Amino acid sequence: MNINVDSLNSGFSKEIKFDGNITLPKSLVYHQDAHIKGRGTITNSYGKYTFEGNIIAKVGFDCNSCLKEFNKEIAFDMVEVFSKEVTDDEEIWLFSSKDNIINLEEPIKTNLLLNLPMKALCSENCKGLCHICGHNLNDGDCGCDRDYIDPRFEKILHLFKNKEV
Ligand SMILES: [Zn+2]
Ligand SMILES: [Zn+2]
C-alpha cells in the first residue's frame, strides 16, 4: 500500500495496483484482520497527489443472529489527496518528503470503516439460534417447541396485553 512518487512529475499520472493486510480497530461486529485489494491512479498536480481508485476489502464478521463466522467483500471507491507540505486543508493527508512514499493504509482504513455495516448477518434469511437449546436453525430444525410459553409467564404476558388495550 506504499506508492513511490519519486519519479512522478507534476502533470503526470501513474496506474497502481496493490494488495495487503490491514488491522482494523476492535469491534464486536467485524474481525480486525482484513485483506485489501486496490487499483487506481495517482496524479501529481503541482505537488498535490491525488489517488483515485477502487478498493475491495475482504472482512470477517460474526453473524449477529446465529454467531457464525463469515467473510464478505466490501467494495468502494475512494479519492484522497496527499501533500508534503502542511496546508490548512484538513482533508489533505501529509506525507514525508524524505522518502517520497505515500502510504495508503490509513486512508484506506478510514474509508473502509465508513463502508462497514453496523450489523452483520450471514444471509438475509438467517434463522438464528434456537432460544431453547442454542442450535443453529440454519442447519435444520432441532425439534424444540419454541412456541411453548411457561405458564408462570403467561400471567405476566396477560398483564402486559391488558395494559396495551
Ligand atoms: Zn447467521
Ligand atoms: Zn432447539
Side-chain angles (χ1 to χ4, degrees), residues 1 5 11 13 20 43 48-49 53 68 75 77 87 98 108 119-120 127 133 140 149 151 164:
M1 276 163 263
V5 290
S13 303
T43 306
K48 281 206 174 80
Y49 297 79
K68 201 180 87 178
D77 296 324
T87 64
K98 261 191 236 158
I108 288 173
K119 275 185 83 178
K127 296 189 179 88
C133 74
I149 299 169
E164 270 168 35

Side-chain angles (χ1 to χ4, degrees), residues 25-159:
K26 262 204 160 78
S27 153
L28 291 173
V29 180
Y30 52 80
H31 298 176
Q32 282 187 277
D33 296 321
H35 186 78
I36 300 293
K37 262 196 320 200
R39 62 193 308 164
T41 54
I42 186 119
T43 306
N44 179 356
S45 172
Y46 302 107
K48 281 206 174 80
Y49 297 79
T50 305
F51 169 76
E52 214 177 333
N54 177 265
I55 309 292
I56 299 169
K58 201 174 174 189
V59 185
F61 295 91
D62 292 318
C63 177
N64 287 155
S65 180
C66 72
L67 310 177
K68 201 180 87 178
E69 282 186 31
F70 66 99
N71 289 318
K72 198 176 170 183
E73 280 192 347
I74 292 162
F76 56 92
D77 296 324
M78 66 180 248
V79 179
E80 295 289 347
V81 183
F82 302 81
S83 171
K84 293 172 198 170
E85 281 151 35
V86 184
T87 64
D88 44 19
D89 188 340
E90 282 175 19
E91 301 275 290
I92 296 181
W93 298 82
L94 198 64
F95 73 100
S96 157
S97 53
K98 261 191 236 158
D99 45 12
N100 271 321
I101 284 175
I102 293 175
N103 187 340
L104 284 177
E105 190 167 328
E106 280 309 313
I108 288 173
K109 271 192 218 174
T110 308
N111 280 277
L112 175 56
L113 289 173
L114 293 172
N115 282 282
L116 284 175
M118 307 290 275
K119 275 185 83 178
L121 283 181
C122 64
S123 94
E124 264 181 51
N125 6 331
C126 173
K127 296 189 179 88
L129 301 177
C130 169
H131 62 261
I132 297 168
C133 74
H135 174 80
N136 186 341
L137 295 171
N138 297 307
D139 299 337
D141 197 43
C142 50
C144 294
D145 181 7
R146 284 183 295 280
D147 293 329
Y148 171 78
I149 299 169
D150 191 313
R152 285 169 297 171
F153 292 128
E154 206 155 22
K155 266 188 187 165
I156 301 169
L157 282 176
H158 266 293
L159 285 176

